[in-house]
């Protein structure tokens, strides 16, 4: 019984911690004492950007190398604006700008390709 | 065609969940694995902090020697961690290769999606695998499945908390890593 209570207590505190992280992510110039927490926010933000861009490129449609180049450009630009202007984070705390810019990039690219292919196929394939 | 596309996405999600589920049963829930993983993460973080410190202070031979010893210890723990995972991962890998072969034969010769780009030449052998014709925007099962898995598996691991920490990744993990140089 105490085990069940302990586990449900842990779950509640984990949920509260996630909500606190989410609130900080949407608040300008938040304080990020845990570097991994901020990088997790960047990671998930990137996945959402990849999904949104993939869906958008599939609907328009944007095709070819242009689509891929634009994905990287938009993705990097949005993340850069988010961490340097909105959150005002010092990239040196994270080992340089490249560490933040590459966080979750390849997985986001895979997510983008999947979304792009599926939406494009659904709308424009024979 | 879209039905095939969505089916492959669904298969990818199910196999990723199944893979992580099996790995949890055979590997992640083992006390030895949990202990080793926690040791590796603690040591990695400690080593990272100490490497940063050695870059800003005057280098001392004894401090560097201490770091080298800690790196060796971390390398040993990483190796032990890999050994714990290896047998189970082989079994899971074997099972999933069989599963993949089955799906491959089901979707053999079928165009499952239309690519909005023409893949580069060396990727065409995967994206246009066993498909008729010269239209390289035709997508085969294996290409779409690989892309779905790359996206979905990584995200599922992160959601479930099975992904290794960044500090552990930086210090290298597994058999084939070389230790990062001490000092800058």
């Amino acid at each position: 019984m105490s085990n069940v209570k302990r586990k449900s207590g842990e779950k509640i505190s984990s949920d509260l911690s996630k909500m606190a992280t989410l609130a900080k992510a949407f608040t300008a110039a938040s304080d990020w004492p845990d570097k991994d927490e901020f990088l997790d926010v960047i990671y998930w933000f990137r996945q959402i950007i990849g999904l949104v861009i993939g869906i958008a490129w599939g609907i328009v449609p944007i095709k070819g190398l242009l689509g891929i180049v634009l994905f990287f450009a938009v993705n990097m630009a949005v993340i850069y604006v988010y961490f340097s202007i909105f959150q005002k984070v010092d990239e040196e705390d994270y080992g340089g700008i490249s560490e933040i810019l590459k966080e979750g990039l390849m997985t986001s690219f895979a997510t983008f390709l999947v979304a792009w292919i599926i939406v494009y196929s659904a709308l424009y394939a024979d | 065609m879209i039905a095939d596309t969505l089916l492959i996405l669904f298969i990818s999600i199910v196999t990723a969940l199944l893979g992580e589920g099996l790995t949890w049963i055979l590997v992640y829930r083992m006390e030895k694995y949990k202990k080793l993983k926690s040791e590796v993460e603690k040591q990695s973080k400690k080593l990272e902090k100490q490497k940063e410190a050695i870059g800003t202070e005057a280098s001392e031979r004894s401090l560097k020697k201490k770091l080298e010893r800690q790196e060796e210890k971390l390398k040993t723990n990483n190796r032990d961690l890999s050994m714990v995972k290896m047998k189970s991962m082989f079994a899971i890998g074997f099972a999933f290769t069989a599963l993949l072969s089955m799906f491959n034969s089901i979707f053999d010769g079928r165009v499952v999606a239309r690519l909005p780009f023409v893949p580069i030449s060396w990727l065409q052998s995967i994206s246009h695998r066993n498909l008729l014709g010269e239209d390289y925007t035709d997508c085969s099962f294996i290409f779409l499945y690989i892309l779905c898995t790359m996206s979905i598996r990584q995200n599922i691991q992160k959601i479930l908390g099975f992904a290794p920490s960044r500090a552990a990744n930086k210090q290298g993990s597994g058999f084939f890593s070389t230790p990062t140089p001490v000092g800058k």
Side-chain angles (χ1 to χ4, degrees):
Chain A
M1 186 67 152
S2 61
N3 225 14
V4 170
K5 272 189 186 167
R6 186 171 53 87
K7 282 189 176 165
S8 66
E10 280 171 2
K11 190 178 182 309
I12 290 167
S13 73
S14 163
D15 290 343
L16 284 173
S17 151
K18 283 180 187 149
M19 291 192 63
T21 303
L22 198 61
K24 280 204 302 188
F26 285 107
T27 308
S30 298
D31 185 34
W32 301 96
D34 182 356
K35 305 287 175 258
D36 276 344
E37 188 189 11
F38 181 66
L39 288 174
D40 282 344
V41 167
I42 294 287
Y43 178 93
W44 288 111
F45 188 21
R46 239 200 181 116
Q47 304 315 306
I48 294 169
I49 293 171
L51 187 64
V52 167
I53 296 176
I55 293 170
W57 277 205
I59 291 172
V60 171
I62 295 178
K63 296 198 279 186
L65 187 62
L66 177 67
I68 294 171
V69 168
L70 278 180
F71 160 77
F72 281 108
V74 170
N75 196 304
M76 300 275 203
V78 169
I79 293 297
Y80 181 78
V81 165
Y82 178 75
F83 84 76
S84 73
I85 295 172
F86 184 71
Q87 289 291 345
K88 294 184 175 45
V89 154
D90 181 4
E91 59 257 25
E92 292 310 315
D93 292 342
Y94 295 85
I97 193 172
S98 60
E99 291 297 317
I100 302 180
L101 286 181
K102 74 179 187 190
E103 180 66 30
L105 182 60
M106 283 299 119
T107 312
S108 169
F109 183 50
T111 306
F112 155 73
L113 285 175
V114 169
W116 192 22
I117 291 168
I118 289 176
V119 173
Y120 180 80
S121 295
L123 297 178
Y124 300 103
D126 298 333
Chain B
M1 185 195 284
I2 191 61
D4 280 350
T5 316
L6 294 174
L7 181 59
I8 292 164
L9 180 66
F10 178 71
I11 288 168
S12 180
I13 294 170
V14 169
T15 52
L17 284 171
L18 196 62
E20 290 308 305
L22 280 174
T23 311
W24 182 80
I25 290 169
L26 296 175
V27 180
Y28 295 151
R29 68 179 183 146
M30 297 295 161
E31 277 310 312
K32 193 176 178 186
Y33 175 84
K34 283 190 213 175
K35 202 174 153 195
L36 275 171
K37 189 179 173 200
S38 145
E39 263 306 305
V40 164
E41 284 182 10
K42 255 194 318 202
Q43 283 174 357
S44 302
K45 283 195 168 126
K46 197 176 165 189
L47 202 57
E48 210 180 316
K49 283 196 173 94
Q50 285 175 344
K51 278 184 180 174
E52 281 166 13
I54 205 175
T56 55
E57 294 165 9
S59 303
E60 292 175 14
R61 271 179 79 184
S62 60
L63 199 59
K64 277 192 176 171
K65 271 199 180 305
K66 191 180 174 191
L67 270 177
E68 277 170 12
R69 271 201 301 274
Q70 281 178 346
E71 260 190 359
E72 270 308 306
K73 199 175 167 192
L74 177 60
K75 210 173 149 190
T76 308
N77 277 335
N78 266 326
R79 222 177 2 237
D80 291 344
L81 194 62
S82 297
M83 283 301 295
V84 167
K85 290 198 298 191
M86 193 173 275
K87 269 186 285 190
S88 306
M89 297 308 251
F90 259 128
I92 292 169
F94 190 73
F96 276 89
T97 304
L99 205 64
L100 191 63
S101 298
M102 181 193 76
F103 285 123
N104 227 358
S105 59
I106 291 170
F107 288 99
D108 194 36
R110 272 159 74 165
V111 176
V112 300
R114 176 79 56 222
L115 299 176
F117 56 91
V118 175
I120 50 179
S121 53
W122 55 269
L123 269 182
Q124 285 169 9
S125 58
I126 305 172
S127 69
H128 206 256
R129 194 174 193 79
N130 293 341
L131 296 180
L132 298 172
E134 301 286 315
D135 183 357
Y136 291 106
T137 61
D138 288 341
C139 180
S140 67
F141 159 78
I142 193 70
F143 186 65
L144 187 61
Y145 179 79
I146 288 170
L147 285 178
C148 288
T149 303
M150 276 171 65
S151 162
I152 288 160
R153 177 156 287 167
Q154 192 80 337
N155 287 324
I156 283 177
Q157 281 185 342
K158 264 204 114 63
I159 289 170
L160 297 177
F162 295 154
S165 72
R166 289 179 187 88
N169 272 336
K170 266 195 200 166
Q171 301 304 333
S173 53
F175 273 124
F176 305 108
S177 61
T178 51
T180 49
V182 171
K184 290 184 184 170

